Structure formats: structure tokens, C-alpha cells
Amino acid sequence: MRIDIITVLPELLHGPVNQSILKRASDKGLAQIHVHNLRDFGIGNYKQIDDKIYGGNAGMVMMIEPIVNCIESLQKERTYDEVIYMTPDGKLFDQPTANRLSLLENIIILCGHYKGIDQRIREHFITMEISIGNYVLTGGELAAAVVSDAMVRLIPGVISDETSALTDSFQDGLLSPPIYTRPAEYRGWKVPDILLSGNFAEIEKWNDHQALERTLKLRPDLLEE
Ligand code: ADE
């Protein structure tokens, strides 16, 4: 998978891209993340990328030209499956969306800033709009890092324990069961006996039951869905 992220703040993405799971996936040759500075496509001597909103409202809008020039320079090189715009107006990001996107080959992610982008970009270039939650961030960079992480960790081979991504919370619409490690008793607080029993069929049943019970208690909305 190749992810091209377009941003006015490339430094904000350096941490996630160079340190996290994204770095590991890149080192293994399983995912490539390329960060593009929109300023390089800015207009004129000042490399302008934003301008005043038409109609008199306060605030700046990201201009159409630099963004289109950047997107089209990428599209000249390869075909993209999705051109995603990170925005609080978008569809709420969830595990099924991460699963679907993780199967794609080439993705562009455009990070918004200021008041947002010229509407014509959304109408003519963007194929998908994603929000990571009902709150407003200063820009789309942190959201792009969240979406990239969630997608890339699902690519087979990125996480060393292949089954672990499949048993994540949400993967089957349920929260994960509680987990424990040694010591089996700490300050009198014991690990449930069943987990020490070695009876894997019973342990699996216990885990399923716990997952359902926790979901009912903590996130009943997931069961309604
Ligand atoms: N940009 C600003 N806020 C955002 C959000 N909640 N999700 C995605 N992109 C954003």
C-alpha cells in the first residue's frame, strides 16, 4: 500500500511516519508513506496556498490551484483508489472503513487547514471524506495519522502476531475481553482461575462471554448497530 499525504505542516507527520507502526511497515516494504508539502505547489513568489473567503465571511480558504497541481502530479505517476479529505464534515471513521481501506493499493490523503478547502476540490477530486470524531482539530494531519495507523496495521505482516489485529476491539463489533499477565496474584488481586486452567475451549467461551458483557456495559451502542 502507498499513502500520499498532502499537508501544509509536514513536520506534524514526521513523528508518526518515522517512529510508529508506519515506520515498521515501511521498513518491511509493506507500506510506503510519502508526505508532500503543499507549499511546494504554492502560487507566485510567496508560494501562496490560501486566500480570503468569497462572500465576506472571515477566514482563509485553501486555494484550488496548489491542491489540484499536487494531486494531478501524483495521479500522473499512478492510479489512486481513493482521494480522501480529512474533515469534521466527513463520514465517521470506524473499523469496517479501516478494513476496507487497508486492502487498497494507492491512497491520497489531503489534510485541511484554516476554514477548509475550496468546494470545487471536494466536488471534482475528492472521492471520500473522513472525520475521526465529532470535534474540530486545527488541521487534518493528526486525523490523517490516525487513519493511516488504523489501515496500515491491518496489512498482513505489519504486526508480528498475525492474529492480534483480528482480535482487536471492534473487529467483530465487540470490545476485547479483559487481559492479564504475570504475576497471577498481586496484592491479593487474582487473575481469574479459568485463565490459568489450561482448558482452551473453556477459556475461549469465557473470553466470548466477557467480550459481550463488557460491550453491553460500556458500549451498548455497538450492539444496537
Ligand atoms: N480536521 C479537523 N477536524 C477533523 C476531524 N474531527 N476529523 C478529521 N479531520 C479533521
Side-chain angles (χ1 to χ4, degrees), residues 138-185:
T138 312
E141 286 75 13
L142 298 176
V146 166
V147 168
S148 301
D149 184 300
M151 289 189 297
V152 166
R153 65 191 298 283
L154 294 169
I155 298 171
V158 169
I159 295 183
S160 35
D161 178 359
E162 290 243 1
T163 59
S164 79
L166 296 174
T167 53
D168 286 339
S169 277
F170 295 109
Q171 203 48 274
D172 53 5
L174 297 176
L175 300 184
S176 296
I179 52 171
Y180 302 87
T181 187
R182 290 186 297 177
E185 184 171 343

Side-chain angles (χ1 to χ4, degrees), residues 86-88 130-133 135-137 139-140 143:
M86 300 310 306
T87 167
I130 294 181
S131 163
I132 62 159
Y135 41 80
V136 180
L137 301 166

